[in-house]
Amino acid sequence: MNVDNSLPFYYFYGGTQDNNSHGGPSRTTSEMGIVNDDWFVTNGGDGYESAVDPTNPDIVYAQAQYGWLVRYDKKSGESIFIQPQPPAGEAYRWNWNTPLIISPHAPTRLYFAANKIFRSDDRGNTWKVISPDLTRRIDRNMLKVMGKIQSVDAVAKNASTSFYGNIVSLTESPKMENLIYAGTDDGLIQVTENAGDSRRTIDRFPGVPDTTYVSCLLASAHDPNVVYASFDAHKKADFKPYLLKSTDRGKTWISIAGNLPERGTVHAFAEDFINPDLLFAGTEFGIFFTIDGGKIWIQLKNGLPTIKVPDIVIQPRECDLVIATFGRGYYILDDYSPLRKLDEASLNKDYALLPVEDAWMFIPSGSKDSQGHANWYAPNPPVAATFTYYVKDEIKSRKDKRREVEQEDIKNKKDIRYPTMEDLIKEDEEQTAFLLFTITDERGDVIRKLKAPVSAGMNRITWDLRYPSVYPAYPEGDPFSNNQSGTLIMPGKYTVSLSLSVDGVITDLGLSQPFRAVLLNNTTLPASDMNDAVAFRRQVASLLQAIQASIRVTNDVESRIGHIRNALKNTTASTGTLLSQINQVEQQNRVLRKAMTGDESIAKRNENQPPSISERVDNIVWGYWRSTSDLTQTMRDQYEIAAGLFEPVLSALKEMVQKDLKAVEQSMDALQSPYTPGRLPVWKRE
């Protein structure tokens, strides 16, 4: 598997067994996600490792089994066969999975390997053999299978398997040109420091059985003397994680397997390009990382199933960790850089807010409908700023703490302490603790607030780069739902800060991180003045908020009128005048609501009528909701019309509620009518 440097989103390439080599985007602008049609085949057969020119993402090198190598033109879809061919009378021994690398020192230079290493300096047009046979040259027919040497007539003997005695892993030091390491399937590591002119052979490794398959080699990006090696002994019924490190170019080795599970072969390895102690290991049962060079390993899960991870690659520009699995697809951990900040000191802090990557701003494109039952897709990352934070310990409620003490007493066969009623009342009235993320702009104005539970460990929360919703609020459901959003923000600089709320008391934790919201610039007609566009959207949002609130008020008035009519039936004093007054209020309420939402009688008969105030504003809002382009003059004209129509409606609504309705309710107080919503009881002790 490998990745390119395409902009704005990189592509990744790999292979699937019996299903070709292929490429696909790491994300798209589609709201549907990455779909079938986004993928393309780069080579047939059993797909395997690919490589991409780091300076030109249209040049892709793709493989099938036994080193069947092509150079694929992503722009045209053409491909040309470029596998090195032997001279007369010779046969190369290719592994089913053949190692291929592009030199980190020259983008046109390839290294490829069978039982020998090949070098091309012209993208595979010509090849030079730079090594002799680097294997032990063991006759595979002399090796015992199931405890004995098998007959030449054994069923499917040697069918659909790799030839034995070939190179299966290859790496060149990014720090020292021509320092190359090659690992073989029969347990050798060959080292050359001069591109093959001379070499050293290493055939013994501490703790590793002889002739064990060298599953991965990686020369360090930090130190020319450092190289890592992993070994796969599963064919010997040995599933231990063999992972070694050398600090002297392979002369001596130490194990860095640390606390990796005892059963879990290591297949792949990666090193962070900034922190040399941040390492990743792909094993038979998942992926692990270490922040101390291999002493302690921690499994990365977060939605990843328990599955074999045969390859890992890092996309440096985005700082993404991309992994290939055996049978479950590709997975991407977006921006793993927060792992660099993990150390003993930071893990001992109660809370940490880690650096924030710049956030792309764009409008996701529409989905592809009617694609049939075989339409598969993978979700895109959210169009959002991502905040990564660490919580040392979960905050437990009074009830949780009491129950823990009780369980401990029961375990120790002690009598539990029965809580007092005062204790139980405090439990019932305690507010749930939460973390509060406050986003501010360059002027320090608050743009958005987000809530998250106080969950122990590393966590993430996203902000969709929008202002909060201006629609009327309803009683809170999920306290940690942050999906009520309004119009887009301005591109620019922002800051997120972290606070903690415990039982209603909010404490500033003194943690903040700056970040930027950056336009993707993928529009044909971008806004000529983004400041003006956002200002107009905010202007419309203000009008929308007032209109929606006013509509809610008319609904509330209608409900209050219903309660008043019922209360007047149970009022013993004369209520004729009040009934007349409430009829007038009801009629006025209908007129005002009709102006804002339209005539329901006309609408339900599917007859035409002029746009209502709310319809005009809704058309503006939904018209620009999926755009970052200039706002149309029609939108601006509609705003002026809607604002002009709404001003007298709001004035009349205020007079109706604050004067007319209030007068009715005050008269009801005097008549000692039953309670209705919006009134306080009137009572004096006799």
Side-chain angles (χ1 to χ4, degrees):
M1 183 186 62
N2 225 309
V3 295
D4 71 7
N5 291 315
S6 293
L7 289 169
F9 310 133
Y10 66 89
Y11 280 67
F12 55 99
Y13 296 83
T16 51
Q17 185 174 355
D18 291 325
N19 280 280
N20 311 315
S21 285
H22 44 241
S26 61
R27 73 181 295 179
T28 66
T29 58
S30 170
E31 65 183 9
M32 191 173 187
I34 304 167
V35 300
N36 309 44
D37 193 46
D38 293 319
W39 290 87
F40 48 91
V41 173
T42 57
N43 200 354
D46 273 343
Y48 189 55
E49 188 171 27
S50 298
V52 191
D53 190 313
T55 62
N56 186 345
D58 287 328
I59 301 173
V60 180
Y61 303 94
Q63 293 189 63
Q65 67 269 30
Y66 294 132
W68 187 270
L69 181 64
V70 302
R71 187 176 66 232
Y72 174 83
D73 186 332
K74 179 169 172 279
K75 183 180 292 184
S76 68
E78 297 178 359
S79 64
I80 186 168
F81 182 58
I82 59 170
Q83 184 193 49
Q85 297 298 304
E90 185 179 354
Y92 295 144
R93 291 192 306 276
W94 299 96
N95 195 275
W96 199 279
N97 300 332
T98 303
L100 166 70
I101 61 172
I102 296 177
S103 172
H105 305 282
T108 61
R109 183 182 303 156
L110 308 179
Y111 289 104
F112 201 39
N115 54 319
K116 300 178 179 181
I117 300 176
F118 311 98
R119 169 172 164 164
S120 172
D121 287 292
D122 53 11
R123 299 191 174 98
N125 289 335
T126 60
W127 293 93
K128 175 184 177 183
V129 178
I130 64 168
S131 80
D133 188 327
L134 296 181
T135 72
R136 297 177 189 264
R137 294 181 283 282
I138 298 172
D139 183 353
R140 64 178 174 175
N141 295 307
M142 296 297 104
L143 296 173
K144 291 183 178 181
V145 178
M146 293 185 288
K148 63 180 180 180
I149 295 175
Q150 299 292 321
S151 165
V152 69
D153 298 318
V155 175
K157 180 173 173 60
N158 297 333
S160 299
T161 63
S162 297
F163 296 109
Y164 190 65
N166 39 53
I167 298 163
V168 291
S169 50
L170 198 61
T171 186
E172 181 183 15
S173 171
K175 304 296 289 185
M176 180 177 172
E177 190 172 5
N178 298 324
L179 172 55
I180 302 168
Y181 301 86
T184 69
D185 62 349
D186 52 14
L188 299 178
I189 293 180
Q190 306 279 4
V191 186
T192 176
E193 299 183 18
N194 46 28
D197 290 344
S198 62
R199 68 187 186 281
R200 289 183 286 110
T201 301
I202 308 162
D203 60 1
R204 294 287 187 274
F205 305 91
V208 180
D210 287 348
T211 69
T212 298
Y213 186 104
V214 184
S215 56
C216 183
L217 284 171
L218 183 69
S220 172
H222 302 277
D223 186 336
N225 297 310
V226 173
V227 62
Y228 301 91
S230 63
F231 299 81
D232 177 358
H234 82 274
K235 290 184 179 180
K236 306 174 189 290
D238 180 353
F239 303 98
K240 293 178 183 176
Y242 296 112
L243 183 57
L244 306 183
K245 175 181 180 179
S246 172
T247 57
D248 53 13
R249 303 184 188 180
K251 295 172 184 174
T252 60
W253 299 83
I254 59 170
S255 172
I256 58 168
N259 63 326
L260 283 173
E262 190 169 333
R263 189 173 183 271
T265 304
V266 177
H267 300 288
F269 185 84
E271 176 194 56
D272 180 47
F273 55 94
I274 291 178
N275 180 359
D277 289 327
L278 176 55
L279 310 173
F280 302 90
T283 76
E284 187 70 21
F285 301 110
I287 186 168
F288 295 77
F289 78 96
T290 175
I291 57 174
D292 57 13
K295 298 185 182 74
I296 298 175
W297 293 87
I298 302 167
Q299 188 169 9
L300 278 171
K301 295 182 180 178
N302 196 26
L304 181 70
T306 300
I307 193 70
K308 176 181 177 180
V309 178
D311 208 356
I312 308 170
V313 66
I314 289 170
Q315 213 294 339
R317 186 189 70 226
E318 305 298 330
C319 203
D320 285 356
L321 183 72
V322 187
I323 68 171
T325 67
F326 188 78
R328 295 296 291 272
Y330 300 99
Y331 288 78
I332 299 176
L333 176 59
D334 298 304
D335 182 24
Y336 72 83
S337 63
L339 296 179
R340 295 191 192 115
K341 305 299 179 180
L342 290 180
D343 53 32
E344 190 172 349
S346 62
L347 292 175
N348 283 328
K349 294 178 180 178
D350 292 332
Y351 302 94
L353 181 61
L354 301 173
V356 182
E357 287 289 301
D358 290 347
W360 284 118
M361 286 184 68
F362 62 92
I363 303 297
S365 60
S367 61
K368 299 180 179 180
D369 294 329
S370 306
Q371 297 295 302
H373 71 283
N375 186 38
W376 300 91
Y377 64 92
N380 276 314
V383 182
T386 300
F387 308 136
T388 306
Y389 59 100
Y390 171 75
V391 176
K392 184 179 180 182
D393 296 307
E394 177 185 355
I395 292 182
K396 295 173 181 173
S397 66
R398 290 187 175 93
K399 181 181 288 186
D400 291 336
K401 291 176 183 177
R402 171 178 58 78
R403 286 177 172 175
E404 283 187 359
V405 172
E406 289 176 350
Q407 289 300 316
E408 189 65 24
D409 287 342
I410 292 170
K411 180 180 177 182
N412 295 326
K413 298 182 178 179
K414 294 180 180 179
D415 290 335
I416 64 171
R417 173 190 171 273
Y418 195 84
T420 66
M421 187 53 63
E422 183 181 359
D423 292 335
L424 294 174
I425 290 173
K426 287 182 178 179
E427 285 185 8
D428 293 342
E429 294 180 350
E430 184 179 20
Q431 296 184 33
T432 302
F434 63 86
L435 290 168
L436 181 66
F437 295 80
T438 302
I439 297 105
T440 54
D441 62 15
E442 286 188 275
R443 296 178 299 182
D445 295 334
V446 174
I447 301 299
R448 191 77 181 267
K449 293 180 179 179
L450 308 173
K451 292 171 66 175
V454 189
S455 302
M458 294 287 291
N459 301 275
R460 276 181 164 168
I461 187 173
T462 58
W463 169 45
D464 60 5
L465 308 177
R466 290 182 178 271
Y467 288 97
S469 171
V470 296
Y471 283 87
Y474 288 90
E476 187 176 52
D478 178 2
F480 303 118
S481 174
N482 298 300
N483 58 3
Q484 296 176 330
S485 298
T487 189
L488 278 172
I489 61 162
M490 267 289 296
K493 297 178 180 179
Y494 292 86
T495 299
V496 59
S497 58
L498 186 58
S499 303
L500 172 68
S501 176
V502 178
D503 203 11
V505 178
I506 297 180
T507 303
D508 185 353
L509 296 177
L511 301 172
S512 64
Q513 291 289 351
F515 65 98
R516 294 190 308 152
V518 182
L519 279 175
L520 187 62
N521 290 326
N522 62 330
T523 56
T524 306
L525 298 173
S528 56
D529 186 342
M530 198 64 181
N531 280 303
D532 178 66
V534 172
F536 178 69
R537 291 167 189 251
R538 294 287 286 157
Q539 203 173 7
V540 173
S542 178
L543 176 58
L544 175 66
Q545 183 174 22
I547 292 171
Q548 290 298 321
S550 298
I551 294 171
R552 176 74 76 84
V553 169
T554 62
N555 294 337
D556 292 344
V557 167
E558 184 178 32
S559 176
R560 288 164 72 176
I561 289 172
H563 284 86
I564 288 171
R565 289 188 182 281
N566 196 29
L568 291 179
K569 288 192 298 184
N570 295 311
T571 301
T572 56
S574 175
T575 59
T577 302
L578 284 180
L579 283 171
S580 176
Q581 290 176 332
I582 202 63
N583 286 339
Q584 293 176 12
V585 171
E586 185 174 41
Q587 180 59 29
Q588 175 71 345
N589 194 55
R590 286 173 181 165
V591 170
L592 296 176
R593 186 164 57 192
K594 188 183 297 185
M596 291 186 288
T597 64
D599 192 313
E600 292 181 13
S601 295
I602 296 175
K604 71 181 182 182
R605 290 171 175 83
N606 297 313
E607 296 294 341
N608 197 23
Q609 61 178 313
S612 66
I613 297 172
S614 64
E615 186 179 355
R616 291 181 188 276
V617 176
D618 286 345
N619 285 342
I620 300 172
V621 172
W622 295 114
Y624 65 55
W625 192 263
R626 295 183 54 79
S627 174
T628 57
S629 299
D630 276 327
L631 288 310
T632 67
Q633 186 59 45
T634 302
M635 292 177 177
R636 298 179 187 274
D637 293 343
Q638 287 300 299
Y639 171 82
E640 293 300 328
I641 293 172
L645 292 173
F646 180 64
E647 277 185 298
V649 169
L650 180 58
S651 178
L653 181 64
K654 289 179 179 178
E655 183 173 354
M656 181 189 73
V657 174
Q658 297 171 355
K659 181 181 177 183
D660 301 338
L661 183 59
K662 187 175 182 181
V664 171
E665 292 174 336
Q666 286 175 340
S667 297
M668 292 177 70
D669 291 339
L671 297 177
Q672 296 184 334
S673 295
Y675 167 80
T676 57
R679 293 165 51 218
L680 289 173
V682 177
W683 177 79
K684 289 184 180 180
R685 183 173 181 175
E686 297 180 2

